[in-house]
Coordinates of all heavy atoms in Angstrom, one line a residue:
A1 N 53.7 -90.0 -42.5 CA 53.5 -89.3 -43.8 C 52.1 -89.0 -44.0 O 51.2 -89.7 -43.8 CB 54.0 -90.2 -44.9
S2 N 51.9 -87.8 -44.6 CA 50.6 -87.4 -45.0 C 50.2 -87.9 -46.4 O 51.0 -88.2 -47.3 CB 50.4 -85.9 -45.0 OG 51.3 -85.2 -45.9
G3 N 49.0 -87.9 -46.8 CA 48.6 -88.4 -48.1 C 47.3 -87.6 -48.7 O 46.8 -86.9 -48.0
I4 N 47.1 -88.0 -50.0 CA 45.8 -87.4 -50.6 C 45.3 -88.4 -51.5 O 46.0 -89.3 -52.1 CB 46.4 -86.3 -51.4 CG1 45.2 -85.5 -52.1 CG2 47.4 -86.5 -52.5 CD1 45.5 -84.1 -52.8
N5 N 44.0 -88.4 -51.6 CA 43.2 -89.3 -52.4 C 42.5 -88.3 -53.4 O 41.9 -87.4 -53.0 CB 42.2 -90.2 -51.7 CG 42.8 -91.3 -50.9 OD1 43.8 -91.7 -51.3 ND2 42.2 -91.5 -49.8
A6 N 42.7 -88.6 -54.7 CA 42.1 -87.8 -55.8 C 41.7 -88.5 -56.9 O 42.1 -89.7 -57.1 CB 43.2 -86.7 -56.2
E7 N 40.7 -88.1 -57.6 CA 40.2 -88.8 -58.8 C 40.2 -87.8 -60.0 O 39.8 -86.6 -59.7 CB 38.8 -89.4 -58.6 CG 38.2 -90.0 -59.8 CD 36.9 -90.6 -59.4 OE1 36.5 -90.8 -58.2 OE2 36.1 -91.0 -60.5
Y8 N 40.6 -88.2 -61.1 CA 40.6 -87.3 -62.3 C 39.7 -88.0 -63.3 O 40.0 -89.1 -63.7 CB 42.0 -87.1 -62.9 CG 41.9 -86.2 -64.1 CD1 41.9 -84.9 -64.0 CD2 42.0 -86.9 -65.3 CE1 41.8 -84.1 -65.2 CE2 41.8 -86.1 -66.5 CZ 41.8 -84.8 -66.4 OH 41.9 -84.0 -67.5
G9 N 38.7 -87.3 -63.7 CA 37.7 -87.9 -64.8 C 38.0 -87.3 -66.1 O 38.6 -86.2 -66.1
D10 N 37.5 -87.9 -67.0 CA 37.8 -87.3 -68.4 C 36.4 -87.1 -69.2 O 36.3 -87.0 -70.4 CB 38.6 -88.3 -69.3 CG 38.1 -89.6 -69.5 OD1 37.0 -90.0 -68.9 OD2 38.7 -90.5 -70.2
H11 N 35.3 -87.0 -68.4 CA 34.0 -86.7 -69.0 C 34.0 -85.2 -69.4 O 34.4 -84.4 -68.6 CB 33.0 -86.9 -67.9 CG 31.5 -87.0 -68.5 ND1 30.8 -85.9 -68.8 CD2 30.8 -88.0 -69.0 CE1 29.7 -86.2 -69.3 NE2 29.6 -87.5 -69.4
E12 N 33.6 -85.1 -70.7 CA 33.6 -83.7 -71.3 C 32.9 -82.7 -70.5 O 33.4 -81.5 -70.2 CB 33.1 -83.8 -72.7 CG 33.0 -82.5 -73.4 CD 34.4 -81.9 -73.7 OE1 35.4 -82.6 -73.7 OE2 34.6 -80.6 -73.8
L13 N 31.8 -83.0 -69.9 CA 30.9 -82.0 -69.1 C 31.6 -81.7 -67.8 O 31.7 -80.5 -67.5 CB 29.6 -82.7 -68.8 CG 28.7 -81.8 -68.0 CD1 28.3 -80.6 -68.6 CD2 27.4 -82.6 -67.5
V14 N 32.3 -82.6 -67.2 CA 33.0 -82.3 -65.9 C 34.2 -81.4 -66.3 O 34.5 -80.5 -65.5 CB 33.3 -83.5 -65.2 CG1 34.1 -83.3 -64.0 CG2 32.1 -84.4 -64.8
M15 N 34.9 -81.7 -67.3 CA 36.1 -81.0 -67.6 C 35.7 -79.6 -68.0 O 36.4 -78.7 -67.6 CB 36.8 -81.7 -68.8 CG 37.5 -83.0 -68.4 SD 38.2 -83.9 -69.8 CE 39.4 -82.8 -70.4
R16 N 34.7 -79.4 -68.8 CA 34.2 -78.0 -69.0 C 33.7 -77.3 -67.8 O 34.0 -76.1 -67.6 CB 33.1 -78.1 -70.1 CG 33.6 -78.4 -71.5 CD 32.6 -78.7 -72.5 NE 31.6 -77.6 -72.5 CZ 30.3 -77.8 -72.9 NH1 29.9 -78.9 -73.4 NH2 29.5 -76.8 -72.9
L17 N 33.1 -78.0 -66.9 CA 32.6 -77.3 -65.6 C 33.9 -76.9 -64.8 O 33.9 -75.8 -64.3 CB 31.8 -78.2 -64.8 CG 31.1 -77.7 -63.7 CD1 30.3 -76.5 -63.9 CD2 30.2 -78.8 -62.9
C18 N 34.9 -77.8 -64.7 CA 36.1 -77.4 -63.9 C 36.8 -76.3 -64.6 O 37.3 -75.3 -63.9 CB 37.1 -78.6 -64.0 SG 36.6 -79.9 -62.8
A19 N 36.9 -76.2 -65.9 CA 37.4 -75.1 -66.6 C 36.7 -73.9 -66.4 O 37.3 -72.7 -66.2 CB 37.6 -75.4 -68.1
A20 N 35.4 -74.0 -66.4 CA 34.6 -72.6 -66.2 C 34.7 -72.1 -64.8 O 34.7 -70.9 -64.5 CB 33.1 -73.0 -66.5
L21 N 34.9 -73.0 -63.8 CA 35.1 -72.7 -62.4 C 36.6 -72.4 -62.1 O 36.7 -72.0 -61.0 CB 34.5 -73.7 -61.5 CG 33.0 -74.0 -61.6 CD1 32.7 -75.3 -60.8 CD2 32.3 -72.8 -61.1
D22 N 37.4 -72.7 -63.0 CA 38.9 -72.5 -62.9 C 39.4 -73.1 -61.7 O 40.2 -72.6 -60.9 CB 39.2 -70.9 -62.8 CG 40.7 -70.6 -63.0 OD1 41.3 -71.4 -63.6 OD2 41.2 -69.7 -62.4
G23 N 39.1 -74.4 -61.6 CA 39.7 -75.2 -60.5 C 38.8 -76.6 -60.3 O 38.0 -76.9 -61.1
P24 N 39.3 -77.4 -59.4 CA 38.8 -78.8 -59.2 C 37.4 -78.6 -58.5 O 37.1 -77.4 -57.9 CB 39.8 -79.4 -58.2 CG 40.4 -78.2 -57.5 CD 40.4 -77.1 -58.6
I25 N 36.6 -79.7 -58.5 CA 35.4 -79.7 -57.9 C 35.4 -80.9 -56.8 O 35.8 -81.9 -57.1 CB 34.2 -80.0 -58.9 CG1 34.1 -79.0 -59.9 CG2 32.9 -80.1 -58.2 CD1 33.3 -79.3 -61.1
A26 N 35.0 -80.6 -55.6 CA 34.9 -81.7 -54.6 C 33.6 -82.4 -54.7 O 32.6 -81.7 -54.6 CB 35.1 -81.0 -53.2
L27 N 33.6 -83.6 -54.9 CA 32.4 -84.5 -55.1 C 32.6 -85.9 -54.5 O 33.7 -86.2 -54.2 CB 32.0 -84.6 -56.6 CG 32.8 -84.1 -57.7 CD1 33.1 -85.2 -58.7 CD2 31.7 -83.2 -58.4
T28 N 31.5 -86.5 -54.6 CA 31.5 -87.9 -54.1 C 30.9 -88.7 -55.2 O 30.1 -88.2 -56.0 CB 30.8 -88.1 -52.7 OG1 30.9 -89.4 -52.3 CG2 29.4 -87.7 -52.8
S29 N 31.1 -89.9 -55.1 CA 30.4 -90.8 -56.1 C 28.9 -90.9 -55.9 O 28.5 -90.7 -54.7 CB 31.0 -92.3 -56.0 OG 32.3 -92.4 -56.2
A30 N 28.2 -91.1 -56.9 CA 26.6 -91.1 -56.7 C 26.2 -92.4 -56.1 O 25.1 -92.5 -55.7 CB 26.0 -90.9 -58.1
N31 N 27.0 -93.3 -56.1 CA 26.5 -94.6 -55.5 C 27.1 -94.7 -54.0 O 28.1 -94.0 -53.7 CB 27.1 -95.9 -56.2 CG 28.6 -95.8 -56.3 OD1 29.2 -94.8 -56.7 ND2 29.2 -97.0 -55.9
K32 N 26.3 -95.4 -53.2 CA 26.8 -95.6 -51.8 C 27.9 -96.6 -51.8 O 28.1 -97.4 -52.7 CB 25.5 -96.1 -51.0 CG 24.5 -95.1 -50.9 CD 23.4 -95.5 -49.9 CE 22.4 -94.4 -49.7 NZ 21.4 -94.6 -48.7
S33 N 28.7 -96.5 -50.7 CA 29.8 -97.4 -50.6 C 29.5 -98.8 -50.7 O 28.4 -99.3 -50.2 CB 30.5 -97.2 -49.2 OG 31.1 -95.9 -49.1
N34 N 30.3 -99.6 -51.5 CA 30.1 -101.0 -51.7 C 28.9 -101.4 -52.6 O 28.4 -102.5 -52.5 CB 30.1 -101.8 -50.4 CG 31.4 -101.7 -49.6 OD1 32.5 -101.7 -50.2 ND2 31.3 -101.4 -48.3
C35 N 28.3 -100.4 -53.3 CA 27.2 -100.5 -54.2 C 27.7 -100.4 -55.6 O 28.7 -99.8 -55.8 CB 26.1 -99.6 -53.9 SG 25.2 -99.9 -52.3
P36 N 26.9 -101.0 -56.5 CA 27.4 -100.8 -57.9 C 27.5 -99.4 -58.4 O 26.8 -98.5 -57.9 CB 26.3 -101.6 -58.8 CG 25.6 -102.4 -57.7 CD 25.7 -101.7 -56.4
N37 N 28.4 -99.1 -59.4 CA 28.5 -97.8 -59.9 C 27.3 -97.4 -60.7 O 26.5 -98.2 -61.2 CB 29.8 -97.8 -61.0 CG 31.0 -98.0 -60.2 OD1 31.2 -97.5 -59.2 ND2 31.9 -98.7 -60.9
S38 N 27.0 -96.2 -60.8 CA 25.8 -95.7 -61.5 C 26.2 -95.3 -62.9 O 27.2 -94.5 -63.0 CB 25.2 -94.5 -60.7 OG 24.9 -94.8 -59.4
S39 N 25.4 -95.6 -63.8 CA 25.7 -95.2 -65.2 C 24.7 -94.1 -65.7 O 24.9 -93.5 -66.7 CB 25.7 -96.4 -66.2 OG 24.4 -96.9 -66.1
N40 N 23.7 -93.8 -64.9 CA 22.8 -92.8 -65.2 C 22.1 -92.2 -63.9 O 22.3 -92.9 -62.7 CB 21.7 -93.1 -66.2 CG 20.9 -94.2 -65.7 OD1 20.2 -94.3 -64.6 ND2 20.9 -95.5 -66.4
I41 N 21.6 -91.1 -63.9 CA 21.0 -90.5 -62.7 C 19.9 -91.3 -62.0 O 19.6 -91.2 -60.8 CB 20.6 -89.1 -62.8 CG1 19.5 -88.9 -63.7 CG2 21.8 -88.2 -63.2 CD1 19.0 -87.4 -63.7
E42 N 19.1 -91.9 -62.8 CA 18.0 -92.8 -62.2 C 18.6 -93.9 -61.4 O 17.7 -94.3 -60.5 CB 17.0 -93.4 -63.4 CG 16.2 -92.3 -64.2 CD 17.1 -91.5 -65.2 OE1 18.1 -91.9 -65.6 OE2 16.5 -90.5 -65.4
A43 N 19.7 -94.4 -61.6 CA 20.2 -95.5 -60.9 C 20.4 -95.1 -59.4 O 20.5 -96.0 -58.6 CB 21.6 -95.9 -61.4
F44 N 20.5 -93.8 -59.0 CA 20.7 -93.5 -57.6 C 19.6 -92.6 -57.2 O 19.7 -91.7 -56.3 CB 22.1 -92.8 -57.3 CG 22.4 -91.6 -58.1 CD1 22.1 -90.4 -57.7 CD2 22.9 -91.8 -59.4 CE1 22.4 -89.2 -58.5 CE2 23.3 -90.6 -60.2 CZ 23.0 -89.3 -59.7
Q45 N 18.4 -92.7 -57.7 CA 17.2 -91.8 -57.5 C 16.9 -91.8 -55.9 O 16.4 -90.8 -55.5 CB 16.0 -92.3 -58.2 CG 14.9 -91.3 -58.1 CD 13.8 -91.5 -59.1 OE1 13.9 -92.6 -59.9 NE2 12.8 -90.8 -59.1
E46 N 17.1 -92.9 -55.2 CA 16.7 -93.0 -53.8 C 17.6 -92.1 -52.9 O 17.2 -91.9 -51.9 CB 16.8 -94.4 -53.3 CG 18.3 -94.9 -53.2 CD 18.8 -95.6 -54.4 OE1 18.2 -95.6 -55.5 OE2 20.1 -96.0 -54.5
I47 N 18.7 -91.6 -53.4 CA 19.5 -90.6 -52.5 C 19.4 -89.2 -53.0 O 20.2 -88.3 -52.6 CB 20.9 -91.1 -52.5 CG1 21.7 -91.1 -53.8 CG2 21.0 -92.5 -51.8 CD1 23.2 -91.4 -53.7
W48 N 18.6 -89.0 -54.1 CA 18.5 -87.6 -54.7 C 18.3 -86.5 -53.5 O 18.9 -85.4 -53.6 CB 17.5 -87.4 -55.7 CG 17.8 -88.0 -57.0 CD1 18.8 -88.7 -57.4 CD2 16.9 -88.1 -58.2 NE1 18.8 -89.2 -58.6 CE2 17.6 -88.8 -59.2 CE3 15.7 -87.6 -58.5 CZ2 17.1 -88.9 -60.5 CZ3 15.2 -87.7 -59.7 CH2 15.8 -88.5 -60.7
S49 N 17.5 -86.9 -52.5 CA 17.1 -85.9 -51.5 C 18.3 -85.5 -50.6 O 18.3 -84.6 -49.9 CB 15.9 -86.3 -50.6 OG 16.3 -87.6 -50.0
D50 N 19.4 -86.4 -50.6 CA 20.6 -86.1 -49.8 C 21.6 -85.3 -50.6 O 22.6 -84.9 -50.0 CB 21.3 -87.5 -49.4 CG 20.3 -88.3 -48.7 OD1 19.5 -87.8 -47.8 OD2 20.4 -89.6 -48.7
L51 N 21.4 -84.9 -51.9 CA 22.4 -84.3 -52.7 C 22.0 -82.8 -52.8 O 20.8 -82.4 -53.0 CB 22.4 -84.9 -54.0 CG 22.7 -86.5 -54.0 CD1 22.6 -87.1 -55.4 CD2 24.0 -86.8 -53.3
D52 N 23.0 -82.0 -52.9 CA 22.9 -80.5 -53.1 C 22.7 -80.2 -54.6 O 22.0 -79.3 -55.0 CB 24.1 -79.8 -52.6 CG 24.2 -79.9 -51.1 OD1 23.2 -79.8 -50.5 OD2 25.3 -79.9 -50.6
L53 N 23.3 -81.0 -55.5 CA 23.3 -80.8 -56.9 C 23.5 -82.1 -57.6 O 24.3 -82.9 -57.3 CB 24.4 -79.8 -57.3 CG 24.5 -79.6 -58.8 CD1 23.5 -78.7 -59.4 CD2 25.9 -78.8 -59.1
I54 N 22.6 -82.2 -58.7 CA 22.7 -83.4 -59.6 C 23.0 -82.8 -61.0 O 22.2 -82.0 -61.5 CB 21.5 -84.2 -59.6 CG1 21.3 -84.8 -58.2 CG2 21.6 -85.4 -60.7 CD1 19.9 -85.5 -58.0
V55 N 24.0 -83.3 -61.7 CA 24.3 -82.7 -63.0 C 24.2 -84.1 -64.0 O 24.9 -85.0 -63.7 CB 25.7 -82.2 -63.3 CG1 25.9 -81.9 -64.7 CG2 25.9 -81.1 -62.3
D56 N 23.2 -84.0 -64.9 CA 22.8 -85.1 -65.7 C 23.6 -85.1 -67.0 O 23.3 -84.3 -67.8 CB 21.3 -85.2 -66.0 CG 21.0 -86.4 -66.8 OD1 21.8 -87.2 -67.2 OD2 19.7 -86.6 -67.0
G57 N 24.7 -85.8 -67.0 CA 25.5 -85.7 -68.2 C 25.1 -86.9 -69.2 O 25.9 -87.2 -70.1
G58 N 24.0 -87.5 -69.0 CA 23.6 -88.5 -69.9 C 24.1 -89.9 -69.4 O 24.7 -90.0 -68.3
L59 N 23.9 -90.9 -70.2 CA 24.4 -92.2 -69.9 C 25.9 -92.3 -70.1 O 26.5 -91.9 -71.0 CB 23.7 -93.2 -70.9 CG 24.1 -94.7 -70.7 CD1 23.5 -95.2 -69.3 CD2 23.6 -95.5 -71.9
L60 N 26.6 -92.7 -69.0 CA 28.1 -93.0 -69.0 C 28.4 -94.0 -69.9 O 27.7 -95.1 -69.9 CB 28.5 -93.2 -67.5 CG 28.3 -92.0 -66.6 CD1 28.7 -92.4 -65.2 CD2 28.9 -90.7 -67.1
S61 N 29.5 -93.9 -70.6 CA 29.9 -94.9 -71.6 C 30.5 -96.1 -70.8 O 30.6 -97.1 -71.5 CB 30.9 -94.4 -72.5 OG 32.1 -93.8 -71.7
S62 N 30.9 -96.0 -69.6 CA 31.5 -97.1 -68.9 C 31.0 -97.4 -67.5 O 30.8 -96.5 -66.8 CB 33.1 -96.9 -68.9 OG 33.6 -97.9 -68.1
E63 N 30.8 -98.7 -67.2 CA 30.3 -98.8 -65.8 C 31.4 -99.3 -64.9 O 31.3 -99.6 -63.7 CB 29.2 -99.9 -65.8 CG 27.9 -99.5 -66.5 CD 26.8 -100.4 -66.4 OE1 26.8 -101.3 -65.5 OE2 25.8 -100.2 -67.1
T64 N 32.6 -99.3 -65.5 CA 33.8 -99.6 -64.7 C 34.1 -98.6 -63.9 O 34.3 -97.4 -64.2 CB 35.0 -100.0 -65.7 OG1 34.6 -101.0 -66.6 CG2 36.2 -100.4 -64.9
G65 N 34.4 -98.8 -62.6 CA 34.8 -97.7 -61.6 C 36.2 -97.3 -61.9 O 37.0 -97.9 -62.7
S66 N 36.5 -96.1 -61.4 CA 37.8 -95.5 -61.6 C 39.0 -96.2 -60.8 O 38.5 -97.0 -59.8 CB 37.8 -94.0 -61.2 OG 37.4 -93.9 -59.8
T67 N 40.1 -96.1 -61.2 CA 41.3 -96.7 -60.4 C 41.5 -95.7 -59.3 O 41.6 -94.5 -59.5 CB 42.5 -96.7 -61.3 OG1 42.2 -97.7 -62.4 CG2 43.8 -97.1 -60.6
V68 N 41.7 -96.3 -58.1 CA 41.9 -95.4 -56.9 C 43.3 -95.7 -56.4 O 43.6 -96.9 -56.3 CB 40.8 -95.7 -55.8 CG1 41.0 -95.0 -54.6 CG2 39.4 -95.4 -56.3
V69 N 44.0 -94.7 -56.2 CA 45.4 -94.9 -55.7 C 45.6 -94.0 -54.4 O 45.0 -92.9 -54.3 CB 46.6 -94.6 -56.6 CG1 46.5 -95.5 -57.9 CG2 46.4 -93.2 -57.2
E70 N 46.3 -94.4 -53.4 CA 46.7 -93.6 -52.3 C 48.2 -93.1 -52.6 O 49.0 -94.0 -52.9 CB 46.7 -94.4 -51.0 CG 47.1 -93.6 -49.8 CD 47.0 -94.5 -48.5 OE1 46.2 -95.3 -48.4 OE2 47.9 -94.2 -47.6
I71 N 48.4 -91.8 -52.5 CA 49.8 -91.3 -52.7 C 50.2 -90.7 -51.4 O 49.6 -89.9 -50.9 CB 49.6 -90.3 -53.8 CG1 49.2 -90.8 -55.2 CG2 51.0 -89.5 -54.1 CD1 48.9 -89.9 -56.2
T72 N 51.5 -91.2 -51.1 CA 52.1 -90.6 -49.9 C 53.6 -90.3 -50.3 O 54.3 -91.1 -50.7 CB 52.1 -91.5 -48.7 OG1 52.7 -92.8 -49.1 CG2 50.7 -91.7 -48.2
D73 N 53.9 -89.1 -50.1 CA 55.3 -88.6 -50.5 C 55.7 -89.0 -51.8 O 55.3 -88.5 -52.8 CB 56.3 -89.0 -49.3 CG 55.9 -88.3 -47.9 OD1 55.4 -87.2 -47.9 OD2 56.1 -89.1 -47.0
T74 N 56.6 -90.0 -51.9 CA 57.2 -90.5 -53.2 C 56.7 -91.9 -53.6 O 57.2 -92.5 -54.5 CB 58.6 -90.4 -53.2 OG1 59.1 -91.3 -52.2 CG2 59.2 -89.0 -52.9
E75 N 55.7 -92.4 -52.9 CA 55.2 -93.7 -53.3 C 53.6 -93.7 -53.4 O 52.9 -92.9 -52.8 CB 55.6 -94.8 -52.4 CG 55.2 -94.7 -51.0 CD 55.6 -95.9 -50.2 OE1 56.8 -96.3 -50.4 OE2 54.9 -96.3 -49.3
F76 N 53.1 -94.7 -54.1 CA 51.7 -94.8 -54.2 C 51.3 -96.4 -54.1 O 52.1 -97.3 -54.3 CB 51.3 -94.4 -55.6 CG 51.6 -95.2 -56.8 CD1 50.8 -96.1 -57.4 CD2 52.9 -95.0 -57.4 CE1 51.2 -96.9 -58.4 CE2 53.4 -95.8 -58.5 CZ 52.5 -96.8 -59.0
T77 N 50.1 -96.5 -53.7 CA 49.4 -97.8 -53.5 C 48.2 -97.9 -54.2 O 47.4 -97.1 -54.1 CB 49.2 -98.1 -51.9 OG1 50.4 -98.0 -51.3 CG2 48.5 -99.5 -51.8
V78 N 48.0 -98.9 -55.1 CA 46.7 -99.0 -55.8 C 45.6 -99.6 -54.9 O 45.8 -100.7 -54.3 CB 46.8 -99.9 -57.0 CG1 45.5 -100.1 -57.7 CG2 47.9 -99.4 -58.0
I79 N 44.6 -98.8 -54.6 CA 43.5 -99.3 -53.6 C 42.5 -100.1 -54.4 O 42.0 -101.1 -54.0 CB 42.8 -98.0 -53.0 CG1 43.8 -97.2 -52.3 CG2 41.7 -98.4 -52.1 CD1 44.6 -97.9 -51.2
R80 N 42.1 -99.6 -55.7 CA 41.2 -100.3 -56.5 C 41.6 -100.1 -57.9 O 41.8 -99.0 -58.5 CB 39.8 -99.7 -56.3 CG 38.7 -100.3 -57.2 CD 37.3 -99.8 -57.1 NE 37.3 -98.4 -57.6 CZ 36.3 -97.5 -57.4 NH1 35.5 -97.7 -56.4 NH2 36.4 -96.4 -58.0
Q81 N 41.8 -101.3 -58.6 CA 42.1 -101.4 -60.1 C 40.8 -101.1 -60.9 O 39.8 -101.8 -60.7 CB 42.7 -102.6 -60.4 CG 43.2 -102.7 -61.8 CD 44.0 -103.9 -62.2 OE1 44.7 -104.5 -61.3 NE2 43.8 -104.4 -63.4
G82 N 40.8 -100.2 -61.7 CA 39.6 -99.9 -62.4 C 39.9 -99.2 -63.8 O 41.0 -99.5 -64.3
R83 N 39.1 -98.3 -64.3 CA 39.3 -97.6 -65.6 C 40.6 -96.9 -65.5 O 41.1 -96.3 -64.5 CB 38.1 -96.7 -65.7 CG 38.1 -95.9 -67.0 CD 36.8 -95.1 -67.1 NE 36.7 -94.0 -66.1 CZ 35.8 -94.1 -65.1 NH1 35.0 -95.1 -65.0 NH2 35.8 -93.1 -64.3
D84 N 41.4 -96.9 -66.7 CA 42.6 -96.3 -66.8 C 43.7 -96.7 -65.8 O 44.7 -96.0 -65.5 CB 42.5 -94.8 -66.7 CG 41.7 -94.1 -67.9 OD1 41.8 -94.7 -69.0 OD2 41.1 -93.2 -67.6
Y85 N 43.7 -98.0 -65.4 CA 44.7 -98.5 -64.5 C 46.0 -98.4 -65.0 O 47.0 -97.8 -64.4 CB 44.3 -100.0 -64.2 CG 45.4 -100.8 -63.4 CD1 45.6 -100.6 -62.1 CD2 46.2 -101.7 -64.1 CE1 46.6 -101.2 -61.4 CE2 47.2 -102.3 -63.4 CZ 47.4 -102.1 -62.1 OH 48.4 -102.7 -61.5
E86 N 46.3 -98.9 -66.2 CA 47.7 -99.0 -66.8 C 48.2 -97.6 -67.0 O 49.3 -97.2 -66.7 CB 47.7 -99.6 -68.1 CG 47.5 -101.2 -68.0 CD 46.0 -101.6 -68.1 OE1 45.1 -100.8 -68.3 OE2 45.8 -102.7 -67.8
K87 N 47.3 -96.7 -67.4 CA 47.6 -95.3 -67.7 C 48.1 -94.5 -66.4 O 49.1 -93.9 -66.3 CB 46.5 -94.5 -68.4 CG 46.8 -93.0 -68.6 CD 45.4 -92.6 -69.3 CE 45.5 -91.1 -69.5 NZ 44.3 -90.6 -70.1
T88 N 47.3 -94.9 -65.3 CA 47.6 -94.3 -64.0 C 48.9 -94.8 -63.5 O 49.8 -94.0 -63.0 CB 46.4 -94.6 -63.0 OG1 45.2 -94.1 -63.5 CG2 46.7 -94.0 -61.6
V89 N 49.1 -96.1 -63.5 CA 50.4 -96.7 -63.0 C 51.6 -96.1 -63.9 O 52.6 -95.7 -63.2 CB 50.3 -98.2 -62.9 CG1 51.7 -98.8 -62.7 CG2 49.3 -98.7 -62.0
K90 N 51.4 -96.0 -65.1 CA 52.5 -95.4 -65.9 C 52.9 -94.1 -65.5 O 54.0 -93.7 -65.4 CB 52.2 -95.6 -67.3 CG 53.3 -95.0 -68.3 CD 52.8 -95.1 -69.8 CE 54.0 -94.5 -70.6 NZ 53.5 -94.4 -72.0
L91 N 51.8 -93.2 -65.4 CA 52.0 -91.8 -65.0 C 52.8 -91.7 -63.7 O 53.8 -90.9 -63.6 CB 50.7 -91.1 -65.0 CG 50.8 -89.7 -64.4 CD1 51.4 -88.8 -65.5 CD2 49.5 -89.2 -64.1
L92 N 52.3 -92.5 -62.8 CA 53.0 -92.2 -61.4 C 54.3 -92.9 -61.3 O 55.3 -92.3 -60.8 CB 52.0 -93.0 -60.3 CG 50.7 -92.3 -60.1 CD1 49.8 -93.2 -59.2 CD2 50.8 -90.9 -59.6
S93 N 54.5 -94.1 -61.9 CA 55.9 -94.8 -61.7 C 56.9 -94.2 -62.8 O 58.0 -94.0 -62.4 CB 55.7 -96.3 -61.8 OG 55.1 -96.7 -63.1
K94 N 56.5 -94.1 -64.0 CA 57.5 -93.8 -65.0 C 57.7 -92.2 -65.2 O 58.8 -91.8 -65.2 CB 57.1 -94.4 -66.4 CG 57.2 -95.9 -66.3 CD 57.1 -96.5 -67.7 CE 57.2 -97.9 -67.9 NZ 57.3 -98.9 -66.9
E95 N 56.6 -91.5 -65.3 CA 56.7 -90.1 -65.6 C 57.0 -89.3 -64.2 O 57.7 -88.3 -64.3 CB 55.4 -89.6 -66.3 CG 55.3 -90.2 -67.7 CD 54.1 -89.8 -68.4 OE1 53.6 -88.6 -68.2 OE2 53.5 -90.6 -69.2
L96 N 56.4 -89.7 -63.2 CA 56.6 -89.0 -61.9 C 57.6 -89.6 -61.0 O 57.9 -89.1 -60.0 CB 55.2 -88.8 -61.1 CG 54.1 -88.0 -61.9 CD1 52.9 -87.9 -61.2 CD2 54.6 -86.5 -62.3
K97 N 58.1 -90.7 -61.4 CA 59.2 -91.4 -60.7 C 58.8 -91.8 -59.3 O 59.7 -91.7 -58.4 CB 60.6 -90.6 -60.7 CG 60.9 -90.1 -62.0 CD 61.6 -91.2 -62.8 CE 62.2 -90.7 -64.1 NZ 61.7 -91.1 -65.4
M98 N 57.7 -92.2 -59.1 CA 57.1 -92.6 -57.6 C 57.3 -94.1 -57.5 O 57.2 -94.8 -58.6 CB 55.7 -92.2 -57.6 CG 55.5 -90.7 -57.6 SD 53.8 -90.3 -57.3 CE 53.8 -90.4 -55.4
N99 N 57.5 -94.6 -56.4 CA 57.6 -96.0 -56.1 C 56.3 -96.6 -55.9 O 55.5 -96.0 -55.2 CB 58.6 -96.3 -54.9 CG 59.9 -95.8 -55.2 OD1 60.5 -96.0 -56.3 ND2 60.5 -95.1 -54.2
R100 N 56.0 -97.7 -56.3 CA 54.8 -98.4 -56.0 C 54.9 -99.4 -54.8 O 55.8 -100.2 -54.9 CB 54.3 -99.2 -57.2 CG 53.0 -99.9 -57.0 CD 52.4 -100.6 -58.3 NE 51.2 -101.3 -58.0 CZ 50.5 -101.9 -58.9 NH1 51.0 -101.9 -60.1 NH2 49.4 -102.4 -58.6
S101 N 54.2 -99.1 -53.8 CA 54.4 -99.9 -52.5 C 53.5 -101.2 -52.7 O 52.6 -101.3 -53.5 CB 53.9 -99.2 -51.3 OG 52.5 -98.8 -51.4
G102 N 53.9 -102.3 -52.1 CA 53.2 -103.5 -52.1 C 53.4 -104.3 -53.3 O 52.8 -105.3 -53.7
T103 N 54.5 -104.1 -54.1 CA 54.9 -104.9 -55.3 C 56.2 -105.4 -55.2 O 57.1 -104.9 -54.5 CB 54.7 -104.1 -56.6 OG1 55.6 -103.0 -56.6 CG2 53.3 -103.7 -56.8

């Protein structure tokens, strides 16, 4: 089965940027793998030279990482429990009628 990994943020600046571009934006986290989440742009200053664009939306209100799920066909697996965990599981299992694997 094929799968997709996606993240949906609710930061006003990102939502407005997506609306202006009329589509999603492909991005990566500002932190390196297995490093703490960044709550402001100064937190990842050492990698600025590796980035094509930095948008400073100010101090983030939460340092909790996003919930990450893997979705394949009609089931999903929670890879990382984080922000909006309950909302994400409810959407996938109850509203979209997907099965949760590993439970």
